[in-house]
């Protein structure tokens, strides 16, 4: 049940973050068109709409690039972790074998 709760929390957080990004893009679009007093209302709305759409498209591309990098880093770290576990096991077995060999020699002497 905890996994479902975590997934829901992640979805809500993602939704809220995206809504904040939309609000930010709209605010920046209004700030961009503010000094352009010569624009008609329709032109201002069109420029704001296009500016917002462009900002959100760039934000989505950035998020997709970051997500892809996260997946690749996770795979890389999982691979390194498996290698580290194998090496630790190999060293442990070698040390145990060496201790057993030394114990056997001590018993013979």
């Amino acid at each position: 049940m905890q996994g479902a709760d975590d997934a829901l929390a992640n979805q809500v957080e993602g939704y809220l973050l995206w809504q904040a990004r939309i609000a930010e893009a709209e605010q920046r679009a209004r700030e961009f068109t503010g000094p352009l007093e010569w624009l008609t209302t329709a032109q201002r709305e069109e420029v704001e709409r296009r500016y917002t759409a462009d900002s959100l498209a760039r934000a989505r591309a950035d998020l997709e690039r970051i997500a892809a990098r996260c997946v690749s880093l996770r795979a890389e770290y999982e691979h390194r972790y498996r290698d580290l576990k194998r090496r630790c096991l190999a060293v442990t077995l070698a040390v145990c074998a060496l201790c057993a060999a030394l114990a056997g020699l001590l018993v013979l002497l």
Side-chain angles (χ1 to χ4, degrees), residues 4 8 21 33 49 58 67 76 88 90 101 108:
L8 178 61
R21 185 67 181 105
T33 59
R49 186 190 64 73
R58 289 173 187 260
E76 182 180 334
C88 286
L108 291 175

Side-chain angles (χ1 to χ4, degrees), residues 75-94:
E76 182 180 334
Y77 286 130
E78 286 175 350
H79 177 71
R80 287 185 182 188
Y81 180 69
R82 280 191 305 273
D83 286 348
L84 180 61
K85 280 187 355 184
R86 271 190 232 117
R87 282 188 295 204
C88 286
L89 179 62
V91 167
T92 301
L93 291 175

Side-chain angles (χ1 to χ4, degrees), residues 42 45 50 60 62 69 97-98:
E45 289 172 357
R50 287 181 184 227
R60 179 177 293 276
D62 290 344
R69 180 65 178 145
L98 181 62

Side-chain angles (χ1 to χ4, degrees), residues 1 3 13 15 17 38 47 54 69 71 76 81 83 104 108:
M1 187 65 173
E13 181 182 15
Y15 174 80
L17 287 171
W38 48 268
V47 170
D54 182 65
R69 180 65 178 145
V71 168
E76 182 180 334
Y81 180 69
D83 286 348
L108 291 175

Side-chain angles (χ1 to χ4, degrees), residues 33-51:
T33 59
L36 305 176
E37 298 171 359
W38 48 268
L39 290 174
T40 66
T41 302
Q43 289 172 332
R44 182 178 307 280
E45 289 172 357
E46 179 65 15
V47 170
E48 287 177 5
R49 186 190 64 73
R50 287 181 184 227
Y51 187 100

Side-chain angles (χ1 to χ4, degrees), residues 52-71:
T52 301
D54 182 65
S55 292
L56 294 176
R58 289 173 187 260
R60 179 177 293 276
D62 290 344
L63 288 173
E64 288 172 353
R65 191 171 41 257
I66 290 167
R69 180 65 178 145
C70 287
V71 168

